[in-house]
Amino acid sequence: MKNFTIFLCCFVIMITTSKLSFAQDALTYSSLVSRYYDLEFLATIPEFGENSGNFSSYDRHSKYDETTKTYIQWEANDDGSGYIRKEGDDIVVFEKEGPGVIWRIWSALAKEGKIRIYLDNEKEPVIDRPFRALFDNFDNGIPPVNFTSLISTLSRGRNRFMPIPYNTHCKIVLEKDWGAYYQITYTSLPKGTQLPVFTGEYSREDCFVLAETDRYLYNRGFTRKVYDNEITENINSKARGNSSSIVKNIKGNRALTYFSLSLDDNYVSDKEKRMDLLKNCWIEIYWDNEAKPSVQVPVGLFFGALPDASPYRAYPIGCIDGRTFYSNWFMPFSKNAAIRLVNKGSMDHAIRWSIVHSSLKMPAESLLRFHSERNTGEKFDSIRKQGRQIDWPLLITKGTGRFCGMTLHVLNTWEKPKEEPLTWWYGQWDKKTIDWWWGEGDEKFFVDGEKFPSTFGTGSEDYIGYAWSAEPPFALFDSPFAAQPNTPIDGNGHTVVSRFQIADNVPFFKSFEGVLEKYKENRWGENKANVCEYESVSYWYLK
C-alpha cells in the first residue's frame, strides 16, 4: 500500500506540472481531462471569451420579457421535457459555437432513445447510441463502464464527467423515447483556442489518462498533490468561549495548498461538544493584510459537515472519519495569510491543525483569491422585489472571478400526517399524505448582468447530481464533485448537500449572481408549524 501511495503521489505531481492555459496554441485531450482535478487553474484570471453555462430541460414557460422588463411564469416547474427546437421527431437539446468543451452530462431518466452528437458541422454524428448507453458503456464497449469516479450514479442521478471538445460547432439531438430530464454543462473558450478533434473513440493514451484520473479522484481525501518547496506546520489551537485567536500568520508570495482540522477523543464521545464546535467555531482567513476576511464560515458548514460530523469524501473538501476535516482548495496570496479561529459560543474548544503552504513560481498578484462566506439569504427580499419570488440567493458578488460550487444545509421538519399513505413513507408522486419535498428549485446563474441566466437547471437535487429525491429511499452518497453525507431516512430533519464545479467552474468578469429556487417559506403548513430553512456557503475566486 505504501508503494502504491508513493506511485500515486508521483503520478499526481507528473500530471499536474503541465499547467492548462487557454493561451496555449493547442490543447490535448489529456490536458482537458486534467481540468477535473486542477485546483490551481481555479485561481487564474479568466481570459476574454471564456464563459460557462448549461443547457437543460427546464420549463420554457419561464421567460424574461425585454419590453416590460418583467419575469414571466418564473415559478414554472415542468422541468423534464424542455428543449431548443424540434427537427422532425427529434429534439435539439444543445447547440453552441466553438471552441468549447462539454464537461458534464446528467440525466434523471436516460432511456433507449438515441443521443446523437454532431461536432464541427460534420453531417455524421461522433456519438450515435442509446442515451442510456452514454452512462452505461465506454467507447462502445460491451461490458458496463468501469470509471467509478468519472461516470457515476448518485441516488438515481446519472453523471458523466468526460470532456467532449469541439472547435467550431456542437449540436446534440435526442430522439423519441430518450427519457426525461437532462443537463449539459459546457465552457466556451477564447477564439483561436485549438482543441483536439473528438471522434467519439478513445486512443490508448486517452484511456490511460482517464483511468489514472479516475483512480486519483477515487483516492480523494487519502492522497493530495505534493507541491514543490512545501512546508507543513502542525499546530494545536485553543478557542475559549466568546473569543478569537490567531492560528497562523504566513508571510511571503505563497499559497495555502492544504489544511486539516482534527478533533481529539473527547469530541468523539461528547456529541454536544462536537456539534457546538461545528456550529460556533468559525474559520476566518485574511489575505494580504485585508481588513475583511475572505473566508468567514463555521467549521461545520465550510466542510459540509452539519449538524454533526458525518464522514464523506469529496475532492476539494471532506470529513474522513467523523473527526478529521480536510481542504484541498488552492489559496494563493502575495504578502501574507492570517488564519483565525473565532469561537462565538460559550464552550472552550481545542483543535489540531495541519497547515501546508508552498512558494509560488509566479507573483500571486496575478492570481485570484479564494473566498468562502456563510449565507442565510440576506438578499432574498431584494431579489423578490425584482419579481423573482422564489430565487433564494447563494452568492451575489462583483468583480472578476470564478464560481466553484457550494454547500447547502437545509433544516426541513414537519408534523407527520395522521393519514396512512398508500405506499411506503409518505406515498409517491401525486399520492402523498404531505408535500414535504424542499428540492424542486432550479439553480440559476446570472453572469455579468444577465437578465436571463446562462445556467438554468431542473431541480436542486439535479444540480447536485442525484434525482427523484422526493421518492424514497433517501440515500447517502459521496463522489469527487458532489455529496450528501447527511439526510434523515424519512427526509424529516437536517439535510446537507455539496456540489463542486472544478472543470465546469463559472467564470465572470463583472458580476455573478447564483440563486437556488426555494418554493417553501421558512414556516409553512397548517398553523405554520413546519420549517424549511436554508443556510449555505459558496466557494469562489475573486480578483
Side-chain angles (χ1 to χ4, degrees):
M1 183 65 185
K2 182 179 179 181
N3 290 336
F4 170 74
T5 302
I6 294 173
F7 160 76
L8 188 60
C9 290
C10 291
F11 161 69
V12 173
I13 296 171
M14 177 186 70
I15 58 181
T16 53
T17 51
S18 58
K19 192 78 170 66
L20 174 61
S21 170
F22 293 152
Q24 294 175 332
D25 293 332
L27 299 177
T28 64
Y29 193 77
S30 175
S31 64
L32 293 178
V33 173
S34 74
R35 285 288 306 278
Y36 288 112
Y37 56 78
D38 189 356
L39 296 175
E40 292 171 75
F41 180 78
L42 301 177
T44 62
I45 299 173
E47 292 191 57
F48 179 76
E50 183 186 350
N51 57 79
S52 299
N54 83 346
F55 285 73
S56 79
S57 56
Y58 77 88
D59 193 325
R60 265 44 179 192
H61 289 98
S62 295
K63 299 177 181 179
Y64 177 72
D65 190 316
E66 289 283 358
T67 303
T68 62
K69 301 187 184 305
T70 57
Y71 290 91
I72 310 298
Q73 295 192 47
W74 209 236
E75 298 182 21
N77 194 37
D78 184 12
D79 289 326
S81 57
Y83 55 87
I84 299 173
R85 66 177 183 276
K86 296 197 72 172
E87 290 185 353
D89 293 331
D90 302 333
I91 58 173
V92 177
V93 298
F94 181 98
E95 190 163 33
K96 197 72 180 173
E97 298 298 318
V101 183
I102 292 171
W103 298 114
R104 171 186 182 245
I105 300 177
W106 166 93
S107 180
L109 186 63
K111 296 172 68 175
E112 297 305 314
K114 286 187 173 181
I115 179 174
R116 292 195 290 273
I117 301 180
Y118 299 85
L119 301 183
D120 301 334
N121 299 304
E122 293 291 336
K123 293 183 179 180
E124 296 299 321
V126 297
I127 291 179
D128 184 5
R129 56 197 309 202
F131 190 33
R132 181 171 179 172
L134 199 68
F135 307 96
D136 285 344
N137 302 101
F138 173 69
D139 206 15
N140 295 315
I142 294 175
V145 67
N146 203 25
F147 296 108
T148 58
S149 296
L150 293 172
I151 301 181
S152 60
T153 299
L154 305 180
S155 188
R156 294 179 287 207
R158 311 297 298 273
N159 295 268
R160 186 183 194 273
F161 287 93
M162 285 190 177
I164 300 176
Y166 51 95
N167 280 288
T168 58
H169 183 263
C170 178
K171 182 176 75 170
I172 301 179
V173 175
L174 294 174
E175 71 173 21
K176 187 179 180 181
D177 295 326
W178 63 271
Y181 302 95
Y182 66 86
Q183 290 193 17
I184 304 169
T185 308
Y186 70 93
T187 295
S188 292
L189 306 184
K191 295 297 181 182
T193 303
Q194 292 297 309
L195 294 168
V197 175
F198 184 74
T199 65
E201 299 179 351
Y202 297 86
S203 68
R204 185 171 182 270
E205 179 187 1
D206 294 340
C207 292
F208 269 104
V209 167
L210 288 168
E212 289 165 341
T213 298
D214 190 81
R215 178 69 61 88
Y216 172 53
L217 291 173
Y218 170 79
N219 282 281
R220 60 195 183 269
F222 299 146
T223 61
R224 62 175 181 85
K225 178 181 176 182
V226 178
Y227 291 82
D228 293 337
N229 302 313
E230 71 174 29
I231 296 173
T232 300
E233 302 191 56
N234 297 313
I235 301 169
N236 292 319
S237 70
K238 293 184 178 180
R240 301 195 181 280
N242 299 302
S243 68
S244 65
S245 59
I246 287 285
V247 176
K248 183 64 182 177
N249 190 7
I250 308 168
K251 295 182 179 181
N253 185 73
R254 306 182 66 80
L256 182 62
T257 58
Y258 171 88
F259 67 88
S260 65
L261 279 64
S262 299
L263 309 181
D264 62 27
D265 292 341
N266 293 328
Y267 289 92
V268 176
S269 58
D270 192 336
K271 181 178 179 180
E272 181 183 1
K273 188 175 182 66
R274 184 173 66 247
M275 292 177 66
D276 184 82
L277 183 151
L278 296 174
K279 177 182 177 181
N280 289 321
C281 285
W282 290 52
I283 299 172
E284 291 188 349
I285 305 179
Y286 299 74
W287 308 124
D288 304 325
N289 299 313
E290 63 186 353
K292 179 183 177 183
S294 293
V295 175
Q296 190 174 30
V297 191
V299 168
L301 188 59
F302 180 86
F303 289 105
L306 282 173
D308 202 353
S310 302
Y312 78 99
R313 293 184 300 123
Y315 179 47
I317 59 173
C319 176
I320 296 176
D321 52 9
R323 61 191 294 180
T324 303
F325 311 89
Y326 65 87
S327 167
N328 288 317
W329 292 112
F330 181 76
M331 307 179 184
F333 52 92
S334 58
K335 297 178 182 178
N336 78 307
I339 304 171
R340 298 183 68 92
L341 185 63
V342 179
N343 187 349
K344 299 188 178 184
S346 58
M347 288 187 180
D348 295 344
H349 290 291
I351 300 176
R352 295 195 305 275
W353 296 69
S354 180
I355 298 173
V356 181
H357 51 95
S358 65
S359 59
L360 294 174
K361 296 179 180 179
M362 65 182 72
E365 290 183 358
S366 63
L367 297 173
L368 304 174
R369 297 294 184 266
F370 178 81
H371 286 67
S372 181
E373 290 182 359
R374 177 178 182 256
N375 164 51
T376 56
E378 292 84 355
K379 299 180 181 179
F380 196 12
D381 288 341
S382 63
I383 289 178
R384 284 179 160 179
K385 292 178 182 178
Q386 302 174 29
R388 296 155 47 201
Q389 296 297 318
I390 55 175
D391 285 359
W392 191 88
L394 292 169
L395 172 65
I396 299 177
T397 189
K398 293 182 178 180
T400 298
R402 299 179 185 273
F403 175 75
C404 302
M406 62 101 209
T407 290
L408 178 70
H409 172 212
V410 182
L411 175 59
N412 191 40
T413 63
W414 62 89
E415 295 181 332
K416 294 185 178 181
K418 297 178 181 179
E419 180 184 357
E420 288 294 324
L422 297 176
T423 56
W424 68 328
W425 301 122
Y426 301 106
Q428 291 182 315
W429 311 116
D430 59 344
K431 296 181 175 61
K432 293 187 180 70
T433 54
I434 186 170
D435 183 18
W436 65 269
W437 176 231
W438 59 269
E440 283 299 312
D442 308 336
E443 80 278 11
K444 301 169 184 169
F445 301 156
F446 300 79
V447 177
D448 295 339
E450 292 173 332
K451 293 299 183 181
F452 193 87
S454 48
T455 291
F456 198 136
T458 56
S460 302
E461 82 273 37
D462 308 346
Y463 170 59
I464 302 303
Y466 62 126
W468 312 106
S469 193
E471 313 302 333
F474 308 99
L476 305 179
F477 59 84
D478 63 3
S479 71
F481 312 119
Q484 180 172 264
N486 187 81
T487 193
I489 200 165
D490 65 351
N492 194 339
H494 294 268
T495 293
V496 177
V497 290
S498 296
R499 166 79 161 95
F500 307 105
Q501 298 188 233
I502 310 302
D504 55 343
N505 68 86
V506 183
F508 54 93
F509 293 90
K510 298 178 181 178
S511 63
F512 176 87
E513 181 178 317
V515 303
L516 196 64
E517 292 178 342
K518 185 174 186 290
Y519 283 88
K520 291 194 178 300
E521 297 291 337
N522 289 348
R523 299 292 183 273
W524 61 280
E526 186 176 356
N527 300 320
K528 302 294 184 181
N530 305 323
V531 176
C532 184
E533 294 181 346
Y534 285 6
E535 69 169 339
S536 70
V537 56
S538 292
Y539 312 97
W540 77 102
Y541 287 79
L542 199 64
K543 188 176 179 179

